[in-house]
Amino acid sequence: MPERARERSWRRPYGESGQPGAREREPREPYARSPFARIGLAEVYNPSMLPTLRPGDRLVVHYGTPVRTGDVVVLRHPFQHDLLIVKRAVGRRGGGWWVRGDNPEVRNDSREFGAVPDELVVARAWLRLRPPRGLQFSPLPVLGWLLSAVRPLGPFSRRFRAR
């Protein structure tokens, strides 16, 4: 089963009135240039990025940011463009990005579909947000969750596993 990520946007789905069929107005010029206009959320569904990312983790992503080797990226699956997947950018090969999951057991990555063209890379992940699971509300477990719930992602978020 391929990994997928659900993309969420900070913009309202029906326009400013909140009614279906209402047209979304184009953003004003200062808002369009704001770096916060290109920030969104993605949710991880499958285990291809274990142990760095678990199913259920949320990612704060930045659209249109240049990708560097080692970054965790959200991209469109090369064979199913409506499917978003989360992978680590290993390096540039043949005009695109070679991407791999951190979990060696799952092969839904460039080993299966080759290098991914730049236009299919949607966003770069900044932060991982881990929701509480079975958390006991006593000081020690809550403190442990707080220390691990929000973690920056980047080239050094996990020991680089390129093979």
Side-chain angles (χ1 to χ4, degrees), residues 135-146:
L135 186 64
Q136 299 174 355
F137 290 99
S138 57
L140 201 54
V142 169
L143 180 63
W145 172 76
L146 284 173

Side-chain angles (χ1 to χ4, degrees), residues 87-125:
K87 300 293 176 197
R88 188 175 300 276
V90 175
R92 303 277 304 165
R93 295 189 191 166
W97 282 99
W98 192 264
V99 295
R100 297 271 311 253
D102 288 349
N103 185 349
E105 303 295 319
V106 180
R107 294 186 55 93
N108 185 30
D109 53 23
S110 288
R111 294 174 288 178
E112 182 180 303
F113 47 73
V116 178
D118 290 327
E119 57 268 8
L120 295 182
V121 177
V122 175
R124 185 174 85 187

